[in-house]
């Protein structure tokens, strides 16, 4: 079971800016915790971050055949990117949308996701635990898919 974790713009600032909104953990610390959980469950994780929409689109496209599930925190691109939505829909690797914050309790422009409708599900509002729940969900999904074959 191989999981690709993609993080969008500004998430590299985690732990360094706005701790009252996004917490004190750095992206490296979050990635380590996700890797540990995936290893406990017998899987492998690769975590990447980019501030560039096109780079994220490229990584989604390349995931086919290499990764079983994508965990995608597209950050601000969640609310704007038709390109990421089209990539997720076209590639067909099951994708779970992840958010640290509860986007529905924030500004109205964050309530709309361009990507959620082409994802298997959305996990938001639990800080780092959103990613850990995403790992659990990825394993459940994979087991369900193997059983259905
Ligand atoms: O809650 C989330 O995970 C978000 O995807 C975070 C995005 C935001 O645009 C989405 O609406 C919800 C923002 C990520 C920016 O991360 C920062 C981290 C530290 C300091 C400043 C920004």
């Amino acid at each position: 079971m191989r999981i690709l974790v993609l993080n969008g713009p500004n998430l590299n600032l985690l732990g360094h800016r706005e701790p009252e909104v996004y917490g004190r953990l750095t992206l490296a610390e979050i990635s380590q915790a996700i890797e540990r959980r995936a290893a406990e469950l017998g899987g492998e994780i690769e975590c990447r971050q980019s501030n560039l929409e096109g780079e994220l689109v490229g990584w989604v496209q390349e995931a086919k055949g290499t990764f079983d599930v994508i965990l995608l925190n597209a950050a601000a691109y969640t609310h704007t990117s038709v390109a990421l939505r089209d990539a997720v829909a076209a590639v067909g690797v099951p994708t779970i949308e992840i958010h640290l914050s509860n986007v529905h309790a924030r500004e109205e422009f964050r309530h709309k996701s361009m990507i959620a409708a082409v994802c298997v599900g959305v996990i938001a509002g639990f800080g780092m635990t959103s990613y850990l729940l995403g790992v659990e969900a990825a394993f459940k999904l994979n087991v369900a898919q193997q059983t259905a074959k």
Side-chain angles (χ1 to χ4, degrees), residues 15-99:
H16 304 291
R17 305 261 195 290
E18 296 185 47
E20 65 289 354
V21 183
Y22 296 114
R24 294 195 177 277
L25 292 172
T26 65
L27 190 58
E29 289 166 335
I30 292 175
S31 301
Q32 280 164 16
I34 308 169
E35 280 159 15
R36 264 200 305 274
R37 186 65 191 126
E40 280 167 12
L41 294 170
E44 282 174 57
I45 286 262
E46 190 166 320
C47 297
R48 302 179 192 165
Q49 187 275 334
S50 179
N51 293 327
L52 305 178
E53 186 177 16
E55 188 160 39
L56 293 162
V57 168
W59 287 339
V60 170
Q61 290 181 3
E62 290 162 16
K64 186 84 189 168
T66 310
F67 293 96
D68 301 295
V69 177
I70 300 172
L71 302 187
L72 176 59
N73 185 349
Y77 292 143
T78 305
H79 315 297
T80 61
S81 181
V82 177
L84 266 174
R85 178 202 179 102
D86 287 350
V88 169
V91 165
V93 177
T95 299
I96 300 169
E97 183 175 313
I98 304 288
H99 296 290

Side-chain angles (χ1 to χ4, degrees), residues 9-11 13-14 17-18 22 73 75-76 79 99-101 103 106 110:
N10 297 310
L11 286 164
L13 299 178
L14 281 174
R17 305 261 195 290
E18 296 185 47
Y22 296 114
N73 185 349
H79 315 297
H99 296 290
L100 292 156
S101 64
V103 282
R106 300 184 62 193
R110 296 187 204 275

Side-chain angles (χ1 to χ4, degrees), residues 79-134:
H79 315 297
T80 61
S81 181
V82 177
L84 266 174
R85 178 202 179 102
D86 287 350
V88 169
V91 165
V93 177
T95 299
I96 300 169
E97 183 175 313
I98 304 288
H99 296 290
L100 292 156
S101 64
N102 178 358
V103 282
H104 298 287
R106 300 184 62 193
E107 303 95 323
E108 200 162 342
F109 68 85
R110 296 187 204 275
H111 299 181
K112 176 74 189 159
S113 167
M114 300 300 279
I115 299 163
V118 294
C119 288
V120 183
V122 179
I123 303 170
F126 300 99
M128 179 182 77
T129 304
S130 292
Y131 288 89
L132 300 178
L133 291 170

